[in-house]
Amino acid sequence: MRPNIVTEAGLPTRLHQWWATVPFITSGVIITCGVIYLVCLLVGYDSFYEICFLPSAVVSQFQVYRIYTSALFHGSLLHVLFNMLALVPLGMELERIMGSVRLLYLMLFLATTNSIFHLIIAIVVAGNPLHPLPFLMNQCSIGFSGIIFSMIVIETSLSGVQSRSVFGLFNVPAKWYAWILLVLFQLLASNVSLLGHLCGILSGFAYTYGFFNYLLPGPSVYSAIESSSILSLCVRRPGFILCTGGTTYGQLPTHSSTTTMSNGLSSGNLWRNISSWMPQRAASSAQPAQDARFPGRGRTLGSTGNQLLTPADSDLSLHARLLDNSTNRPLETTTLSTETRLPDARHSTRDTEAVAGLATTNQGVDIFEEELKKLVAMGFEKTEAEVALAAADGDPGVAIEILTSHQQG
């Protein structure tokens, strides 16, 4: 049996292979936060009061730069390590779904909305006539964890998972995952910004519910940015992911989907969405939801028009035609009856072939997933194994040869 190169490699090789799988923006944020912390440590800079998010300074002196500097600076080694380790899986997953440019915009956007929520809540609570809490206006917050909490909510919504593991100890419903982490960090750690993390969760839910749709560019904007000469060097980087590749699952909110949000608000569905505490991936009435395994939309089999149908409508149409073929019709001459039923027979043949084709496709997807799991169990990286298996047309032996030659090269 061919030796497994991944398991026999040393620690530096494994770290290099792991780092090569981290996409462009995610690795860039990790490097930026790490370098900033090291520079502050070497020069002895610890005056975080000048760069943290301080609501009183933002209001009185309009120091809006604190919105972004507060996210990049960290107070201790454990602080930056814990935040970056939490960012790696979230950033890798979201960047592969969204693309590098879209994720960068999302991080900047979330940093802004988190700070706005933070500022509004601090002002309201500090000016509360019943029981004012002015200390929130002078609370200094730093760290990337607010954006991470927003990304947790967004990634959970896009993945569609039903449960999440908390530190590998126990599983919780996915819709409560961010809230449970919020409570646990407050109980287990000191000097944790409850308001900063809470505003991150609120921004994540507002994004997934579509309240920010008017502020999100469409795919054409990201494509124009990627095709600009300024980013030509970045686009050619191996870890750079284009936004034009589309999403692997879920539905990303964009400016073009604002009609969905307005329809949901006018129809009285807002309270039901909020009460569920779980972001819902809303779909426009003119654009039905798709099965991730079968991209595209169903068309009426044997029809001459181009009317788009949902999978349910296609099944109903197929069932209606099959029933129509089996109903009794008035007696006619043998010649006329033969001429009338020939087109129906052709339609039935097409329907049968379409159903068989869908079953074959489904079976092929299951086989591909099984082979991919085997390659991952052998120690190969999931993304590389998926690409190699696709290039080998599903042949695991050829895929292993491709992966082995790639690692040896």
Side-chain angles (χ1 to χ4, degrees):
M1 181 177 179
R2 188 185 302 273
N4 194 332
I5 299 178
V6 176
T7 58
E8 294 179 356
L11 181 60
T13 303
R14 294 187 185 182
L15 289 176
H16 176 73
Q17 293 175 348
W18 170 80
W19 182 253
T21 62
V22 181
F24 184 75
I25 295 300
T26 304
S27 60
V29 172
I30 295 174
I31 293 174
T32 301
C33 292
V35 169
I36 290 177
Y37 177 77
L38 290 178
V39 171
C40 293
L41 189 64
L42 293 176
V43 301
Y45 180 83
D46 57 356
S47 182
F48 298 118
Y49 190 81
E50 299 176 356
I51 50 88
C52 68
F53 184 78
L54 190 64
S56 59
V58 175
V59 173
S60 60
Q61 305 178 27
F62 200 65
Q63 296 178 350
V64 294
Y65 67 87
R66 294 175 178 269
I67 294 176
Y68 307 104
T69 56
S70 61
L72 298 177
F73 284 79
H74 293 80
S76 65
L77 179 60
L78 290 178
H79 190 195
V80 66
L81 283 179
F82 193 85
N83 280 351
M84 294 304 102
L85 288 176
L87 173 64
V88 169
L90 291 171
M92 292 175 64
E93 187 69 14
L94 288 178
E95 189 165 354
R96 288 168 180 168
I97 297 173
M98 299 181 172
S100 297
V101 175
R102 192 195 299 263
L103 180 63
L104 177 61
Y105 177 83
L106 178 64
M107 288 181 175
L108 296 175
F109 183 80
L110 292 175
T112 305
T113 56
N114 290 355
S115 299
I116 293 176
F117 280 135
H118 192 146
L119 188 62
I120 293 175
I121 295 176
I123 293 175
V124 172
V125 175
N128 181 17
L130 299 178
H131 186 66
L133 298 174
F135 74 92
L136 290 179
M137 293 295 296
N138 298 316
Q139 191 178 66
C140 188
S141 303
I142 59 173
F144 205 79
S145 55
I147 300 177
I148 291 177
F149 267 88
S150 299
M151 295 172 66
I152 289 175
V153 175
I154 295 172
E155 194 275 334
T156 301
S157 174
L158 291 176
S159 64
V161 296
Q162 300 300 320
S163 63
R164 287 289 175 133
S165 174
V166 179
F167 306 128
L169 301 177
F170 56 92
N171 293 332
V172 297
K175 60 183 178 181
W176 297 107
Y177 181 61
W179 300 106
I180 292 176
L181 289 181
L182 176 68
V183 175
L184 288 179
F185 283 135
Q186 290 300 129
L187 297 177
L188 300 178
S190 60
N191 296 328
V192 176
S193 176
L194 172 63
L195 189 55
H197 294 170
L198 176 62
C199 293
I201 295 177
L202 295 179
S203 292
F205 277 110
Y207 175 87
T208 55
Y209 280 123
F211 291 105
F212 295 149
N213 284 354
Y214 286 101
L215 303 175
L216 301 177
S220 59
V221 177
Y222 298 115
S223 299
I225 296 175
E226 292 170 345
S227 60
S228 63
S229 58
I230 301 177
L231 295 181
S232 58
L233 294 178
C234 297
V235 172
R236 289 196 293 266
R237 298 283 299 176
F240 192 93
I241 301 176
L242 296 176
C243 301
T244 54
T247 62
T248 55
Y249 45 72
Q251 179 178 353
L252 298 178
T254 59
H255 177 72
S256 60
S257 61
T258 54
T259 305
T260 302
M261 183 192 69
S262 60
N263 292 338
L265 293 176
S266 61
S267 61
N269 293 328
L270 176 60
W271 175 249
R272 289 196 298 271
N273 287 338
I274 295 178
S275 62
S276 66
W277 295 100
M278 178 61 188
Q280 304 292 330
R281 297 186 295 279
S284 173
S285 57
Q287 184 176 357
Q290 302 177 11
D291 190 340
R293 298 173 300 173
F294 309 112
R297 297 176 177 82
R299 298 181 183 272
T300 304
L301 298 175
S303 64
T304 57
N306 293 327
Q307 182 180 2
L308 297 178
L309 298 176
T310 63
D313 293 337
S314 299
D315 294 338
L316 290 175
S317 178
L318 172 60
H319 185 62
R321 288 198 303 273
L322 292 176
L323 290 177
D324 183 67
N325 292 337
S326 61
T327 56
N328 295 325
R329 299 181 180 179
L331 293 177
E332 299 175 356
T333 60
T334 305
T335 305
L336 181 59
S337 176
T338 304
E339 293 175 353
T340 303
R341 295 180 181 273
L342 281 177
D344 294 338
R346 286 195 295 268
H347 289 315
S348 300
T349 303
R350 293 176 182 175
D351 296 338
T352 305
E353 292 175 354
V355 173
L358 290 178
T360 303
T361 304
N362 191 9
Q363 183 180 4
V365 172
D366 295 337
I367 295 176
F368 184 90
E369 292 294 334
E370 292 178 1
E371 297 298 340
L372 179 60
K373 291 179 181 179
K374 293 179 181 179
L375 293 177
V376 173
M378 293 174 62
F380 295 109
E381 204 279 326
K382 182 177 180 181
T383 303
E384 296 179 356
E386 186 174 2
V387 174
L389 192 59
D393 293 332
D395 189 344
V398 178
I400 293 176
E401 292 291 337
I402 295 175
L403 293 169
T404 305
S405 61
H406 174 71
Q407 292 174 357
Q408 290 176 349

